[in-house]
Each structure stands twice: as C-alpha cells, then as structure tokens.
Amino acid sequence: RKEVEQDPGPFNVPEGATVAFNCTYSNSASQSFFWYRQDCRKEPKLLMSVYSSGNEDGRFTAQLNRASQYISLLIRDSKLSDSATYLCVVAPSSGNTPLVFGKGTRLSVIA
Amino acid sequence: GVTQSPTHLIKTRGQQVTLRCSSQSGHNTVSWYQQALGQGPQFIFQYYEKEERGRGNFPDRFSARQFPNYSSELNVNALLLGDSALYLCASSFGEVGDTEAFFGQGTRLTVV
C-alpha cells in the first residue's frame, strides 16, 4: 500500500462547480498534513495546512479524519485559475523523514 | 526565495551531473525531491544544519551536501535514462513538518 493515495483524476468540472478531492495515508503516526498546488511544469506551492478541527480559506476547505486516516479538500465555486494538480502531503511525527507526497490529482476547470 | 540552477539540463547516459540550490534566507533545512512525469515528488535527501538527516530509497549514485551558507548540491553519477525527471529543492526553517517548506522552480534533467 502506498504511503499517500489520492483520487486518480483527472477531474474536469465547469466553472462554478464544487469539487472534492480525497486522500488516505498509511502511517498512523503522521502528524502534519498539507495540500499543495502544482501548476503545469512549475514547483509545488503550499495551498493550506490541514488540521483535525478542519480549516477553511476562502473557497477552500480542508478536513482531516485521523481515525480513518483520511484527508479531504473541497473547492467551492471553481474558477478557471483553479486548474492545476493538487498534491496531498503528509509529514510523519519524526523530523528525520520529510514530506511524503501523493501522486496528485489533476483538476481542469472549463468555461 | 529558493533558487535552483540550472533550470534545464540534457545529459548523456553514464555522465555525472551536479544540481545546485540556494535556500531561502534564514532557512537551515534543505530537502531534495525527484518528480517523474505524472508522479508526485519522491524524497531523495534532507539536510539540517549541514548534516544529513534523511535519505530516501535512491541508489548510491545519488549524493548531496549542504554548505555553511545552507545552499546545497545534489550529485548524480552514472546517469541512467530513468533519472530523467524534475529535481526539486525545498528549504525550511527547523525540521520539515514543523514549518512550511518552500520549493525552488526545479531543474528539469533529461538523460539521452
């Protein structure tokens, strides 16, 4: 089983749609969770951290379920500029092993 | 920010390559990742305060170091076609997972 698994995608949605991405992780000791965004042929950039209490940043909402080892990202009112690959990222409790990335889910928002 | 050089590189099988990374000012941790086409980044090395703190599942052909100014180099010997990928450097303060990691734009290596 891969350490971080994501929906395979791609997701093709119309502008204004709501889209949800799911991610599961295998290391139950993991402590930090993130969603990164990566545009085509660019570097990954932090979109948001994910907390057990859930967190929201504008149109983006992230949720963490530790019991199920499950992370989600919800994007409301999709914009054309949201088109990118979304990477689910996990960091274990130990500082010696860095970020573990999922394969990524590609989102295309179409007019 | 984090800068990497060169941005693009074409090498022949069997050659050696050195990739460079200048970390963000104030950052003392550098990590290297390899991202093959259609895949997520895979961890190669992490250096914290100039000491190796982690190594991913990569052969000994891959080596790295961090300099006193916290910049870093990644070396790959005896290049294989399968080494073709985007190589990403990320810097942060403290140990990754505690603070945000900032990525450089990457070096796209093509081995022919």
Side-chain angles (χ1 to χ4, degrees), chain B residues 20-34:
Chain B
R20 295 176 176 82
C21 171
S22 294
S23 58
Q24 187 163 313
S25 177
H27 286 182
N28 55 7
T29 299
V30 169
S31 302
W32 287 94
Y33 295 83
Q34 180 196 66

Side-chain angles (χ1 to χ4, degrees), chain A residues 32 38 41 43 46 96 98-99, chain B residues 33 35 43 53 97 104 108:
Chain A
S32 302
Q38 186 172 27
R41 305 184 75 82
E43 74 275 19
L46 179 65
N96 287 335
L99 303 176
Chain B
Y33 295 83
Q35 186 174 25
F43 168 64
R53 295 297 295 269
R108 191 164 297 278

Side-chain angles (χ1 to χ4, degrees), chain B residues 3 5 7 13-14 16 18 23 27 31 42-43 45 50 52 54 65 67 69 72 87-88 90 92 98-99 110-111:
Chain B
T3 58
S5 62
T7 54
R13 276 180 300 175
Q16 176 266 341
T18 298
S23 58
H27 286 182
S31 302
Q42 298 294 310
F43 168 64
F45 284 108
K50 302 179 285 291
E52 182 182 305
R65 56 181 175 169
F67 298 99
N69 66 354
S72 179
Y87 288 83
L88 294 160
S92 60
D98 298 331
T99 60
T110 302
V111 182

Side-chain angles (χ1 to χ4, degrees), chain B residues 36-59:
Chain B
L37 198 62
Q39 303 293 319
Q42 298 294 310
F43 168 64
I44 310 175
F45 284 108
Q46 183 188 64
Y47 278 79
Y48 172 67
E49 285 291 343
K50 302 179 285 291
E51 291 187 3
E52 182 182 305
R53 295 297 295 269
R55 174 185 283 256
N57 188 24
F58 281 80

Side-chain angles (χ1 to χ4, degrees), chain A residues 2 32 34 36 38 41-46 87 91-104, chain B residues 8 31 33 35 38-43 46 53-54 86 88 95-98 100-101 103-106 108:
Chain A
K2 291 189 182 296
S32 302
F34 313 92
Y36 274 72
Q38 186 172 27
R41 305 184 75 82
K42 300 283 190 180
E43 74 275 19
K45 292 184 179 179
L46 179 65
L87 297 159
S93 56
S94 168
N96 287 335
T97 306
L99 303 176
V100 181
F101 287 79
K103 191 175 178 179
Chain B
H8 295 82
S31 302
Y33 295 83
Q35 186 174 25
Q39 303 293 319
Q42 298 294 310
F43 168 64
Q46 183 188 64
R53 295 297 295 269
L86 178 67
L88 294 160
E95 297 179 274
V96 177
D98 298 331
E100 181 178 351
F103 284 84
Q105 82 280 17
R108 191 164 297 278

